[in-house]
Amino acid sequence: MPSLLHEALILLLARAPRLILELLGPALGLTPDAEVVVCDPVTHAPVPTERRADLVFEVRARAGLRAVVVEVQLAPDPDKVDVWPYYVMGERLRHHGPASLAVIAPDPAVAAWAARPIATGQPGCTFTPVVLGRSGIPWVTAPDKETPERVVLSAIAHGDEPGAEQVIAALAATLASLDEDLRAQYYWIAYECLGEAMRRKLEELMFPEWLEQTTKARELIAKGEARGEARGEARGETRGRIAAKLEALLAICETRGLVLRDADRDRVLACTDLPTLDSWIRRAARAAAVAELFD
């Protein structure tokens, strides 16, 4: 099954085809004034088997039409040695013109593997893919509302490298300029591809109030549970856990100024369901009123 990173890279390039010119133009001999469009990636060749590349672009320039097959490769795959030349030949036949293969390989070891010449079976004839590694993806440190995919790609490639705070800042500023749906989609793509430290940095820049509330809530829960466990540990395993949760819930309510009525307190103390108590504890850490505790 394709990974999130694999699918994210395909999505970003498909939505911003001109990134191919920026990232691979010099290596493929393409000029910045060329027109790039995405076309059907199914490769039809004179055999009855259908093969599907990750992406195929048509590049229309003054020199003529060219097809560029793009494959995202996250790990070595010996089968691609046979498949990649097949993709290129199929696109040459379909477009009646030159075709090239570009491999996107963020991992340096995979990039080195993908860049090796491939024997085609014809004497003296080899096929060598053009490979784009992590180092070939630019560091984007300024917001780019016009091509947000460029910023997201940079964050995915370099977000966990030393000095990446500027890349994450550019990402946060770019996301803030997008409409709600696109912002959410690109936020989660980047978030899932980043390490823990840069995830926190992105949250801090985009959701400072939410992050502060979440941090305080975690602290309250930890303090309340610790207090409850200290009192409940000697009461038997299950009963002790229930008692600990009850103590934690009451401690959080007391700390946050949530005054429980007698009926509310009786309801809390009568509860013996651990998942319910966990739910109430989480709500108590964020609730503005007691009514929000049980709804």
Side-chain angles (χ1 to χ4, degrees), residues 83-194:
V83 173
W84 284 343
Y86 174 90
Y87 286 161
V88 173
M89 182 55 67
E91 294 305 326
R92 285 180 63 88
L93 293 172
R94 177 156 68 145
H95 293 91
H96 304 288
S100 305
L101 172 70
V103 179
I104 313 296
D107 185 275
V110 179
W113 168 83
R116 297 180 302 178
I118 300 171
T120 63
Q122 298 297 321
C125 183
T126 59
F127 170 81
T128 304
V130 172
V131 178
L132 176 69
R134 187 187 305 270
S135 61
I137 298 174
W139 281 65
V140 179
T141 57
D144 187 349
K145 181 181 179 180
E146 298 303 317
T147 313
E149 296 80 10
R150 182 171 176 267
V151 188
V152 178
L153 181 63
S154 179
I156 290 174
H158 304 297
D160 293 318
E161 296 180 22
E165 289 80 3
Q166 287 185 316
V167 175
I168 301 304
L171 173 64
T174 298
L175 293 176
S177 70
L178 304 179
D179 67 70
E180 185 175 352
D181 290 341
L182 193 58
R183 180 192 311 136
Q185 184 177 25
Y186 284 173
Y187 170 82
W188 285 113
I189 286 175
Y191 184 89
E192 292 297 328
C193 293
L194 290 172

Side-chain angles (χ1 to χ4, degrees), residues 188-265:
W188 285 113
I189 286 175
Y191 184 89
E192 292 297 328
C193 293
L194 290 172
E196 191 64 25
M198 289 301 104
R199 285 181 176 182
R200 299 285 81 81
K201 181 65 176 178
L202 184 59
E203 288 178 340
E204 177 187 334
L205 292 170
M206 294 197 66
F207 314 111
E209 294 181 0
W210 172 85
L211 187 62
E212 182 180 1
Q213 290 177 358
T214 301
T215 301
K216 289 181 178 178
R218 287 171 180 166
E219 291 175 353
L220 285 171
I221 289 172
K223 289 179 181 178
E225 288 189 341
R227 177 174 163 182
E229 287 172 4
R231 298 186 181 184
E233 61 184 1
R235 305 183 191 181
E237 183 175 352
T238 301
R239 291 181 60 193
R241 291 177 65 193
I242 293 172
K245 300 291 185 183
L246 290 171
E247 292 285 355
L249 177 57
L250 294 175
I252 292 170
C253 289
E254 179 184 347
T255 301
R256 301 203 63 238
L258 300 174
V259 180
L260 297 174
R261 298 174 301 175
D262 290 343
D264 295 329
R265 182 176 290 273

